[in-house]
Amino acid sequence: MRDDDSDGFTAWAAGAERQLLRSAVLLTGDLHRAQDLVQEAMVKVAMRWPRLRDEQPTAYARTIVARDNISWWRRRRHEVVVDPGTPAGQGVPAVATDAEAGLVVRRALARLTPRQRAVVVLRYFDDLTERETAEILGIAVGTVKSQNRVALARLRDGAPELLDLIGGPR
């Protein structure tokens, strides 16, 4: 990377790191793995910075985080639901603005399979469309829709504390 490019990369990285870390913690349920994913994504963006700086480096980094996380759980050949008794990302500073709400959300997401969690995080926390979510995850739009439907049903049935948080009907 040239010197004039490093300032731009540094500024982008400082602005994007927090958002990427928040998404990665929600995707993985594990602060340490989330930090590793974000660091790997930052390295990959840095290596391609001259091409990416005028494009969408945050979208590229988000794709790397999501796909590297998918690769991690695919290597295990099965989906493991994180134990909801152990709050994912406990003690993560500045990832959630309201600590209680953040804890409720992390516990609820821990009840989902990794693929369901990825769809919910990308759709609702990163505010992506179904098409953008499908592109990042490398799956069909129909798969995004079905995983989202199943995930939301699972959250409604298994995480009523979310309804308390938003004041919705049981």
Side-chain angles (χ1 to χ4, degrees):
M1 187 173 353
R2 296 185 322 238
D3 287 338
D4 59 339
D5 291 343
S6 66
D7 290 341
F9 172 78
T10 302
W12 168 81
E17 184 177 25
R18 183 174 170 175
Q19 176 188 6
L20 291 170
L21 181 60
R22 179 197 63 130
S23 295
V25 167
L26 293 172
L27 282 172
T28 64
D30 180 281
L31 174 61
H32 300 293
R33 197 169 81 223
Q35 289 171 327
D36 289 345
L37 287 170
V38 170
Q39 184 176 18
E40 289 172 19
M42 293 289 186
V43 168
K44 290 176 182 178
V45 169
M47 293 173 63
R48 292 165 184 80
W49 184 251
R51 180 177 56 94
L52 290 173
R53 71 172 168 223
D54 296 328
E55 299 292 321
Q56 300 211 2
T58 305
Y60 183 79
R62 185 183 297 120
T63 299
I64 291 168
V65 167
R67 289 188 178 175
D68 285 356
N69 185 53
I70 290 168
S71 294
W72 180 87
W73 54 260
R74 278 187 178 157
R75 284 191 299 268
R76 275 122 192 97
R77 303 217 183 258
H78 65 285
E79 294 185 347
V80 177
V81 178
V82 178
D83 177 15
T86 306
Q90 186 173 11
V92 179
V95 172
T97 55
D98 176 7
E100 183 179 333
L103 184 59
V104 169
V105 169
R106 287 190 299 271
R107 283 183 177 162
L109 289 174
R111 292 180 174 105
L112 302 177
T113 65
R115 184 181 298 250
Q116 292 167 349
R117 190 167 45 247
V119 168
V120 169
V121 169
L122 292 172
R123 289 281 291 127
Y124 299 103
F125 290 93
D126 289 344
D127 200 28
L128 300 181
T129 65
E130 289 170 339
R131 173 173 279 144
E132 291 167 331
T133 301
E135 288 173 9
I136 285 174
L137 297 176
I139 58 178
V141 173
T143 303
V144 169
K145 291 178 181 181
S146 67
Q147 290 291 309
N148 188 55
R149 181 180 42 77
V150 171
L152 293 179
R154 189 176 219 172
L155 290 173
R156 274 191 298 275
D157 293 341
E161 65 272 20
L162 281 179
L163 296 176
D164 293 338
L165 182 66
I166 61 172
R170 288 189 177 248

